[in-house]
């Protein structure tokens, strides 16, 4: 099914997650143990369709995020479509508990933006401003994040589960890409979204099913 990623009142908000069959979003402290080659290829393709990637500070630390740089072919296609060569990474962090020496800040040509609140510690703001653009909002809720990115066309949420839970609660997810890995993890791993229960579940409809060598790839759209 072909459809435009377009909204007249703000950005189209996508989310991309991987989980095990029994719903674990984290295994051995991160999602790496759940990924396979097909999921990594899907991950790269979804990133290539977005202008901004939004991720929580906890996921940046757990996954040791890299600067977001696409391969040359995808950069060329994006430029021909009038987009920047690579998506811009947005880190959401209320406490600014991030190491300025972290790998994610290691490429000055792909400088990261950090969204925090206006009561964030001054010393952390000054420290991280050396390696990133720190923007202080009235609050770092999903609604405030989307408002900050209101002129964007497509925004991708990559996690973690707490941030995703805030987007679900606010009813801001337009598209959900879910990879189901053929694993049973059990344990106390969080789901792909958790937090305060919304007033009602966010209804989505199944749009596409793809099969990899091991994993199942599902795409849902806002009903």
């Amino acid at each position: 099914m072909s459809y435009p990623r377009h909204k007249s009142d703000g950005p189209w908000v996508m989310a991309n997650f991987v989980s095990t069959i029994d719903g674990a979003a984290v295994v051995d402290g991160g999602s790496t143990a759940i990924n396979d080659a097909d999921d990594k290829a899907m991950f790269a393709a979804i990133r290539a369709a977005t202008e901004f990637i939004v991720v929580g500070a906890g996921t940046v630390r757990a996954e040791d995020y890299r600067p977001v740089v696409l391969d040359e072919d995808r950069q060329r296609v994006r430029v021909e479509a009038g987009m920047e060569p690579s998506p811009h990474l947005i880190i959401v962090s209320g406490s600014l508990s991030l190491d300025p020496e972290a790998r994610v800040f290691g490429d000055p040509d792909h400088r990261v933006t950090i969204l925090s609140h206006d009561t964030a510690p001054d010393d952390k703001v000054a420290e991280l401003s050396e390696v990133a653009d720190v923007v202080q909002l009235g609050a770092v809720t999903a609604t405030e994040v989307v408002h900050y990115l209101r002129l964007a066309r497509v925004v991708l949420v990559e996690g973690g589960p707490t941030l995703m839970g805030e987007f679900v609660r606010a009813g801001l997810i337009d598209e959900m890409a879910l990879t189901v890995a053929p694993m049973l993890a059990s344990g106390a791993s969080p789901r792909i979204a958790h937090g305060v229960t919304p007033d009602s579940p966010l209804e989505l409809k199944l749009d596409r099913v793809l099969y990899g060598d091991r994993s199942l790839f599902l795409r849902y759209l806002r009903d």
Side-chain angles (χ1 to χ4, degrees):
M1 176 179 178
S2 177
Y3 64 95
R5 290 188 174 106
H6 174 74
K7 289 170 64 178
S8 60
D9 58 348
W12 180 274
V13 180
M14 305 170 62
N16 182 29
F17 278 80
V18 60
S19 79
T20 64
I21 297 169
D22 55 345
V26 175
V27 173
D28 294 334
S31 63
T32 302
I34 313 176
N35 300 134
D36 61 18
D38 289 333
D39 181 56
K40 291 176 182 177
M42 182 67 76
F43 178 78
I46 290 172
R47 278 186 155 192
T50 68
E51 293 171 275
F52 295 92
I53 297 171
V54 178
V55 62
T59 297
V60 170
R61 292 189 296 267
E63 304 288 349
D64 192 17
Y65 257 53
R66 299 173 180 268
V68 178
V69 184
L70 302 182
D71 61 55
E72 291 184 1
D73 287 341
R74 288 195 169 101
Q75 289 189 43
R76 176 180 50 78
V77 170
R78 286 171 60 90
V79 170
E80 290 174 353
M83 302 172 70
E84 293 294 324
S86 293
H88 187 75
L89 185 63
I90 306 284
I91 301 174
V92 179
S93 177
S95 65
L96 294 181
S97 298
L98 292 159
D99 182 357
E101 300 293 327
R103 179 167 62 174
V104 73
F105 303 122
D107 185 350
D109 291 331
H110 296 86
R111 191 172 172 92
V112 172
T113 295
I114 303 173
L115 299 184
S116 191
H117 51 67
D118 52 14
T119 59
D122 291 340
D123 59 335
K124 292 297 296 183
V125 171
E127 181 182 45
L128 288 169
S129 293
E130 296 292 326
V131 295
D133 297 320
V134 180
V135 178
Q136 294 177 268
L137 308 175
V140 283
T141 63
T143 300
E144 287 290 334
V145 170
V146 170
H147 179 71
Y148 175 76
L149 298 172
R150 62 192 178 277
L151 298 182
R153 288 176 295 178
V154 182
V155 172
L156 173 64
V157 179
E158 288 188 348
T162 299
L163 182 64
M164 179 61 176
E166 293 178 7
F167 273 82
V168 171
R169 184 188 181 198
L172 292 172
I173 300 298
D174 299 299
E175 178 180 350
M176 178 75 221
L178 177 65
T179 299
V180 181
M183 301 170 64
L184 293 170
S186 189
S189 171
R191 297 179 295 174
I192 63 170
H194 68 78
V196 177
T197 303
D199 294 335
S200 59
L202 184 58
E203 296 285 345
L204 304 175
K205 60 185 178 182
L206 181 63
D207 174 73
R208 182 190 68 194
V209 180
L210 297 177
Y211 302 87
D213 289 338
R214 298 176 63 252
S215 299
L216 187 65
F217 301 93
L218 309 174
R219 179 170 68 193
Y220 295 89
L221 300 178
R222 185 76 170 268
D223 196 4

